[in-house]
Amino acid sequence: MSLLDDYVLDYSLLNSYDKNILENRLVLVLKKDSYFTKIAFSKESREYESIFCNDEIIKKIEISKNEILFCLSDFEIRLKLFELSKIAINGAEDLEIDSFLDILISYSIEKNASDIHIETEENALIIRLRIDGVLKTFFSFDIKFHLILSSIIKLISKLDITQKREPQNGRFEKIINQNRVDFRVSTMPTIKGESIVLRVLDT
């Protein structure tokens, strides 16, 4: 488990910084308000203090260089998904939620993921992808987005949207890049909330 699982990475905030500088100096901006700026840095981070104003109060957590670079990779996709999740939370139409799911699925297939895991932590919705047998956290969103995303997945899988205390299984298909892709859907209640797994079926 990564320390970053406790944070919803605000890619709109990260987008206000020069991504090349963040990558070069190995720093992530996790939170910024009128009181302080919280960042993640690594042992290899270089001269990151110059990115911020002299009077800013900086709170820090240390993570690995690879985690920082991973969070900054595929930046445009991450930013787009983050923005769509915020729009959905603020009362979006189904079109935005469908776009989120299409982008997520397309990205997962591009990465050769066999499974997409949608899980809840205390304050965040975490999406992990299983690639070459290894499950890794790829995205984090506001916990409020979980009900919206789970509802649309259950709807297209013909599952009971109101049922959260019993496991359910279903299927759906999507046309991605002019190819039909089938998915098997499993939901499971957990201590922290409902977990959903989408298994990509090779057609």
Side-chain angles (χ1 to χ4, degrees):
M1 180 175 175
S2 168
L3 288 174
L4 292 180
D5 285 351
D6 294 329
Y7 296 91
V8 175
L9 290 181
D10 185 340
Y11 278 90
S12 296
L13 172 61
L14 281 172
N15 197 39
S16 66
Y17 293 84
D18 187 317
K19 188 176 78 71
N20 291 327
I21 292 177
L22 295 178
E23 287 180 333
N24 181 261
R25 301 188 184 180
L26 297 173
V27 61
L28 284 177
V29 183
L30 303 176
K31 181 179 179 182
K32 188 181 181 73
D33 57 30
S34 56
Y35 298 103
F36 64 87
T37 299
K38 189 150 196 175
I39 68 168
F41 74 110
S42 78
K43 291 179 180 178
E44 297 93 341
S45 294
R46 299 176 294 275
E47 300 176 353
Y48 59 83
E49 296 89 346
S50 62
I51 300 173
F52 308 103
C53 301
N54 291 332
D55 58 349
E56 279 189 77
I57 299 173
I58 306 295
K59 294 188 175 181
K60 300 179 283 187
I61 64 169
E62 185 177 327
I63 61 176
S64 72
K65 169 185 174 180
N66 287 340
E67 280 186 285
I68 291 174
L69 294 176
F70 176 75
C71 289
L72 293 172
S73 66
D74 300 318
F75 189 87
E76 294 304 320
I77 294 290
R78 295 175 186 274
L79 176 62
K80 183 63 175 176
L81 289 176
F82 179 83
E83 289 177 339
L84 285 171
S85 74
K86 298 300 285 186
I87 293 171
I89 290 170
N90 291 327
E93 309 235 342
D94 290 344
L95 181 61
E96 277 75 15
I97 304 169
D98 285 342
S99 295
F100 178 97
L101 194 55
D102 285 346
I103 293 171
L104 174 64
I105 287 172
S106 296
Y107 179 82
S108 302
I109 290 172
E110 179 185 323
K111 295 294 182 181
N112 293 318
S114 60
D115 303 279
I116 304 169
H117 289 244
I118 300 168
E119 304 171 358
T120 52
E121 295 293 339
E122 184 175 352
N123 298 308
L125 162 64
I126 304 295
I127 295 182
R128 311 182 206 273
L129 304 182
R130 188 180 300 281
I131 300 172
D132 295 331
V134 179
L135 195 61
K136 186 172 183 179
T137 301
F138 271 74
F139 306 103
S140 59
F141 303 98
D142 191 311
I143 190 65
K144 296 175 186 175
F145 187 51
H146 180 266
L147 179 60
I148 299 168
L149 184 57
S150 64
S151 294
I152 193 67
I153 291 173
K154 287 180 180 179
L155 184 65
I156 63 178
S157 305
K158 298 180 173 57
L159 301 179
D160 185 350
I161 293 176
T162 64
Q163 179 59 263
K164 299 179 178 65
R165 297 184 178 180
E166 296 290 337
Q168 298 188 76
N169 293 286
R171 299 170 75 101
F172 70 90
E173 65 179 46
K174 281 274 189 183
I175 302 299
I176 305 295
N177 298 327
Q178 300 182 333
N179 294 313
R180 193 193 79 186
V181 184
D182 292 333
F183 296 87
R184 188 168 68 210
V185 180
S186 300
T187 72
M188 179 68 66
T190 70
I191 294 175
K192 294 182 179 179
E194 190 175 43
S195 171
I196 301 174
V197 178
L198 312 182
R199 172 153 292 180
V200 184
L201 302 179
D202 186 4
T203 56

